[in-house]
Amino acid sequence: MDPFMQAAIDEAQKGLAEGGIPIGSVIVHDGKIIGRGHNRRVQEGSAIKHGEMDAFENAGRQPARVYREATLYTTLSPCAMCSGAILLYGIRKIIVGEHETFMGEEALLRSRGVQVDVVHNPTCIALMKQFIADKPELWNEDIGE
């Protein structure tokens, strides 16, 4: 398995262990993780701490060039909010663990020149399917339903 997708999965599993939603993300530049995060909406009572947003927060201020050269890995297809951050910071490539349980804004990202590769990772799919079955109300809250 790609070690960076595994790092995103590890983040998702951390989130689940903390009582949150199992979505993780890492931002990679020059072969190194510069930001990692997981969905912390429940843990922090946050409206915006999705996995990708947490990874951006933890990457901190970076020159625009760094984000343009970076690849973002995420266990789940990015929602509209996270896709907006991807576009704002100029990320040009994302690797998505799965989009079977939730289809985010992949078409928008592609239309704006972002390379979106979906790897259909069975661990990512199983994590989300189990979570959605166990906590449908929390899942619906996270996606705004």
Side-chain angles (χ1 to χ4, degrees):
M1 164 158 341
D2 181 321
F4 300 125
M5 182 53 71
Q6 185 58 59
I9 291 169
D10 293 346
E11 286 294 322
Q13 290 170 329
K14 271 189 209 175
L16 184 62
E18 294 169 356
I21 299 162
I23 303 167
S25 183
V26 296
I27 300 171
V28 177
H29 181 260
D30 279 342
K32 291 189 269 185
I33 296 173
I34 62 169
R36 60 177 66 234
H38 54 274
N39 187 304
R40 296 179 192 258
R41 290 187 66 250
V42 172
Q43 300 91 312
E44 295 184 10
S46 171
I48 62 168
K49 277 283 185 96
H50 283 189
E52 299 90 338
M53 301 299 278
D54 194 37
F56 275 116
E57 181 70 16
N58 290 322
R61 289 181 61 200
Q62 299 288 334
R65 168 192 63 78
V66 170
Y67 283 123
R68 281 193 308 270
E69 295 170 354
T71 299
L72 184 140
Y73 290 75
T74 182
T75 58
L76 186 65
S77 185
C79 72
M81 176 178 65
C82 296
S83 294
I86 289 164
L87 294 172
L88 177 67
Y89 289 104
I91 299 281
R92 294 181 178 157
K93 181 177 181 180
I94 64 171
I95 309 295
V96 176
E98 68 104 348
H99 63 195
E100 184 177 318
T101 61
F102 177 79
M103 174 58 79
E105 298 297 326
E106 294 174 24
L108 169 66
L109 291 166
R110 286 185 179 108
S111 78
R112 299 281 299 272
V114 177
Q115 179 182 336
V116 179
D117 296 339
V118 181
V119 297
H120 307 286
N121 181 282
T123 301
C124 296
I125 295 167
L127 268 171
M128 286 310 301
K129 281 188 173 184
Q130 189 63 56
F131 179 79
I132 292 167
D134 291 346
K135 298 188 177 180
E137 306 83 19
L138 186 53
W139 171 242
N140 287 334
E141 173 191 322
D142 195 63
I143 60 171
E145 288 186 8

